Amino acid sequence: IRRRFPAGLAYFLVLACGLWSAALRASAQSDSQSKAARIARIAQVTNWPARKLGTSKPLVIGIIGAPSMEELLQEQCRRLNGGNVIVRPLSALEEIRGCHVLFVSASEQAQLSRILRQTRGEPILTIGESENFMREGGIVTLTMISGTAQFTCDISNMRRARLEIDPEALALANPPPQR
Protein backbone atom coordinates (compact mmCIF):
# COMPACT_ATOMS: atom_id res chain seq x y z
CA ILE A 1 0.00 0.00 0.00
CA ARG A 2 2.81 2.43 0.82
CA ARG A 3 4.31 2.06 -2.65
CA ARG A 4 0.99 2.70 -4.44
CA PHE A 5 0.08 5.82 -2.53
CA PRO A 6 3.19 7.81 -3.51
CA ALA A 7 2.90 6.60 -7.13
CA GLY A 8 -0.78 7.57 -7.20
CA LEU A 9 0.03 10.92 -5.64
CA ALA A 10 2.82 11.48 -8.17
CA TYR A 11 0.43 10.63 -11.01
CA PHE A 12 -2.14 13.06 -9.61
CA LEU A 13 0.46 15.84 -9.30
CA VAL A 14 1.70 15.32 -12.86
CA LEU A 15 -1.88 15.36 -14.15
CA ALA A 16 -2.73 18.48 -12.12
CA CYS A 17 0.39 20.29 -13.36
CA GLY A 18 -0.42 19.32 -16.95
CA LEU A 19 -3.97 20.61 -16.66
CA TRP A 20 -2.80 23.81 -14.99
CA SER A 21 -0.20 24.36 -17.73
CA ALA A 22 -2.83 23.77 -20.45
CA ALA A 23 -5.17 26.22 -18.74
CA LEU A 24 -2.41 28.87 -18.63
CA ARG A 25 -1.66 28.38 -22.35
CA ALA A 26 -5.37 28.64 -23.20
CA SER A 27 -5.67 31.79 -21.10
CA ALA A 28 -2.64 33.36 -22.79
CA GLN A 29 -4.08 32.48 -26.21
CA SER A 30 -7.43 33.96 -25.21
CA ASP A 31 -5.70 37.15 -23.98
CA SER A 32 -3.80 37.44 -27.27
CA GLN A 33 -7.01 36.95 -29.27
CA SER A 34 -8.72 39.67 -27.25
CA LYS A 35 -5.76 42.02 -27.80
CA ALA A 36 -5.72 41.31 -31.54
CA ALA A 37 -9.46 42.02 -31.76
CA ARG A 38 -9.03 45.30 -29.87
CA ILE A 39 -6.13 46.38 -32.10
CA ALA A 40 -8.22 45.64 -35.21
CA ARG A 41 -11.18 47.64 -33.86
CA ILE A 42 -9.01 50.63 -33.00
CA ALA A 43 -7.31 50.53 -36.42
CA GLN A 44 -10.72 50.38 -38.07
CA VAL A 45 -11.83 53.67 -36.46
CA THR A 46 -8.55 55.53 -36.96
CA ASN A 47 -8.03 58.09 -39.72
CA TRP A 48 -4.55 58.71 -41.13
CA PRO A 49 -3.46 61.68 -43.23
CA ALA A 50 -4.09 60.99 -46.94
CA ARG A 51 -0.37 61.01 -47.70
CA LYS A 52 0.22 58.17 -45.21
CA LEU A 53 -2.68 55.91 -46.16
CA GLY A 54 -4.08 56.53 -49.61
CA THR A 55 -6.92 54.51 -51.11
CA SER A 56 -4.62 52.05 -52.89
CA LYS A 57 -2.01 51.59 -50.16
CA PRO A 58 -2.17 48.56 -47.87
CA LEU A 59 -2.62 49.12 -44.14
CA VAL A 60 0.66 47.94 -42.60
CA ILE A 61 0.62 46.62 -39.04
CA GLY A 62 4.04 46.05 -37.52
CA ILE A 63 4.67 43.88 -34.48
CA ILE A 64 7.63 44.13 -32.15
CA GLY A 65 8.21 41.43 -29.56
CA ALA A 66 5.08 39.28 -29.95
CA PRO A 67 5.48 36.90 -32.91
CA SER A 68 2.42 34.93 -31.82
CA MET A 69 0.28 38.00 -32.58
CA GLU A 70 1.00 37.91 -36.33
CA GLU A 71 -1.50 35.19 -37.22
CA LEU A 72 -4.13 36.47 -34.79
CA LEU A 73 -3.88 40.02 -36.19
CA GLN A 74 -4.04 38.75 -39.76
CA GLU A 75 -7.27 36.94 -38.94
CA GLN A 76 -8.78 39.95 -37.14
CA CYS A 77 -7.68 42.52 -39.75
CA ARG A 78 -8.49 40.74 -43.00
CA ARG A 79 -11.55 42.94 -43.60
CA LEU A 80 -9.86 46.26 -42.79
CA ASN A 81 -9.01 48.66 -45.61
CA GLY A 82 -10.89 46.50 -48.13
CA GLY A 83 -8.76 43.49 -47.17
CA ASN A 84 -5.61 45.33 -48.19
CA VAL A 85 -3.70 44.67 -44.94
CA ILE A 86 -0.16 43.50 -44.28
CA VAL A 87 0.75 42.24 -40.80
CA ARG A 88 4.40 41.57 -40.15
CA PRO A 89 6.87 41.19 -37.31
CA LEU A 90 9.60 43.80 -37.51
CA SER A 91 13.22 42.79 -37.23
CA ALA A 92 14.80 46.26 -37.39
CA LEU A 93 13.80 49.62 -35.95
CA GLU A 94 14.20 51.20 -39.40
CA GLU A 95 11.11 49.25 -40.57
CA ILE A 96 8.84 51.14 -38.16
CA ARG A 97 8.35 54.19 -40.40
CA GLY A 98 6.67 52.05 -43.05
CA CYS A 99 3.89 51.07 -40.63
CA HIS A 100 0.48 52.59 -40.01
CA VAL A 101 -0.05 50.64 -36.78
CA LEU A 102 2.73 49.48 -34.47
CA PHE A 103 2.09 46.98 -31.69
CA VAL A 104 4.85 46.83 -29.07
CA SER A 105 4.78 43.91 -26.65
CA ALA A 106 5.51 44.36 -22.95
CA SER A 107 8.59 42.18 -23.50
CA GLU A 108 10.22 45.16 -25.26
CA GLN A 109 10.21 47.41 -22.19
CA ALA A 110 13.99 47.75 -22.20
CA GLN A 111 14.07 49.32 -25.67
CA LEU A 112 10.72 51.11 -25.56
CA SER A 113 12.25 54.60 -25.70
CA ARG A 114 14.30 53.68 -28.79
CA ILE A 115 11.27 52.14 -30.50
CA LEU A 116 8.95 55.08 -29.87
CA ARG A 117 11.64 57.57 -30.88
CA GLN A 118 11.31 56.11 -34.40
CA THR A 119 7.62 57.05 -34.48
CA ARG A 120 7.99 60.71 -33.45
CA GLY A 121 6.61 63.05 -36.07
CA GLU A 122 5.11 60.14 -37.99
CA PRO A 123 1.39 59.31 -38.29
CA ILE A 124 1.76 55.87 -36.74
CA LEU A 125 -0.83 54.48 -34.35
CA THR A 126 1.31 53.05 -31.56
CA ILE A 127 -0.26 50.41 -29.32
CA GLY A 128 1.54 48.82 -26.39
CA GLU A 129 1.17 46.95 -23.13
CA SER A 130 3.73 48.58 -20.84
CA GLU A 131 2.67 50.73 -17.89
CA ASN A 132 4.80 53.65 -19.04
CA PHE A 133 3.93 53.29 -22.75
CA MET A 134 2.03 56.58 -22.99
CA ARG A 135 4.62 58.47 -20.90
CA GLU A 136 7.21 57.42 -23.49
CA GLY A 137 5.01 58.80 -26.31
CA GLY A 138 2.76 55.84 -27.17
CA ILE A 139 -0.86 56.46 -28.11
CA VAL A 140 -2.85 53.43 -26.90
CA THR A 141 -2.15 51.12 -23.98
CA LEU A 142 -3.88 47.75 -23.73
CA THR A 143 -4.61 46.10 -20.38
CA MET A 144 -6.40 42.87 -19.62
CA ILE A 145 -9.39 43.24 -17.31
CA SER A 146 -11.54 40.19 -16.58
CA GLY A 147 -10.29 38.44 -19.72
CA THR A 148 -11.02 41.38 -22.05
CA ALA A 149 -8.51 43.75 -23.62
CA GLN A 150 -9.34 47.26 -22.46
CA PHE A 151 -7.61 50.37 -23.76
CA THR A 152 -6.49 53.80 -22.67
CA CYS A 153 -5.67 56.52 -25.18
CA ASP A 154 -3.40 59.54 -24.83
CA ILE A 155 -5.15 62.23 -26.88
CA SER A 156 -2.15 64.59 -26.92
CA ASN A 157 0.14 61.84 -28.27
CA MET A 158 -2.53 60.99 -30.85
CA ARG A 159 -2.74 64.61 -32.01
CA ARG A 160 1.06 64.88 -32.22
CA ALA A 161 0.95 61.91 -34.59
CA ARG A 162 -1.74 63.71 -36.65
CA LEU A 163 -4.18 60.85 -36.22
CA GLU A 164 -7.89 60.88 -35.47
CA ILE A 165 -9.75 58.14 -33.66
CA ASP A 166 -13.53 58.11 -33.83
CA PRO A 167 -14.92 59.97 -30.79
CA GLU A 168 -17.47 57.20 -30.10
CA ALA A 169 -14.64 54.68 -29.89
CA LEU A 170 -12.65 57.00 -27.62
CA ALA A 171 -15.65 57.20 -25.31
CA LEU A 172 -15.10 53.46 -24.62
CA ALA A 173 -11.50 54.03 -23.48
CA ASN A 174 -10.48 53.88 -19.86
CA PRO A 175 -9.40 57.25 -18.46
CA PRO A 176 -5.66 57.87 -18.72
CA PRO A 177 -3.63 57.75 -15.50
CA GLN A 178 -2.72 61.04 -13.86
CA ARG A 179 0.81 62.13 -14.71
Side-chain angles (χ1 to χ4, degrees):
I1 292 176
R2 283 185 168 205
R3 293 183 93 185
R4 285 187 181 184
F5 180 73
L9 180 60
Y11 175 76
F12 173 76
L13 289 174
V14 167
L15 179 63
C17 287
L19 291 173
W20 181 65
S21 176
L24 285 177
R25 281 192 306 275
S27 175
Q29 180 72 8
S30 176
D31 287 356
S32 294
Q33 287 173 330
S34 183
K35 289 174 189 175
R38 180 64 69 188
I39 292 167
R41 283 193 291 276
I42 294 169
Q44 187 172 25
V45 297
T46 299
N47 292 315
W48 284 266
R51 70 172 176 78
K52 180 72 173 180
L53 183 62
T55 55
S56 62
K57 289 183 180 179
L59 178 74
V60 178
I61 300 174
I63 304 167
I64 298 180
S68 63
M69 290 291 285
E70 181 181 6
E71 187 176 320
L72 295 170
L73 276 168
Q74 284 175 341
E75 176 68 27
Q76 291 291 328
C77 296
R78 69 174 182 258
R79 291 179 298 275
L80 294 181
N81 199 33
N84 199 7
V85 178
I86 297 171
V87 178
R88 65 173 176 231
L90 304 181
S91 56
L93 294 180
E94 295 77 33
E95 296 175 290
I96 291 173
R97 295 218 167 143
C99 296
H100 299 97
V101 179
L102 177 65
F103 174 71
V104 183
S105 170
S107 66
E108 302 305 307
Q109 179 66 35
Q111 63 173 353
L112 186 59
S113 293
R114 286 183 40 221
I115 292 168
L116 291 176
R117 206 171 309 129
Q118 295 291 317
T119 68
R120 289 206 181 104
E122 296 291 323
I124 299 172
L125 175 63
T126 54
I127 302 174
E129 304 174 293
S130 303
E131 281 186 37
N132 64 335
F133 188 75
M134 291 187 293
R135 276 192 308 270
E136 294 286 342
I139 297 170
V140 174
T141 300
L142 298 178
T143 52
M144 293 303 298
I145 300 173
S146 300
T148 303
Q150 303 292 317
F151 73 104
T152 305
C153 184
D154 188 307
I155 303 296
S156 60
N157 290 345
M158 179 186 71
R159 288 185 180 137
R160 272 194 285 283
R162 299 178 315 280
L163 297 174
E164 294 177 11
I165 297 177
D166 181 84
E168 289 180 20
L170 286 177
L172 300 174
N174 292 329
Q178 299 298 318
R179 291 186 186 202

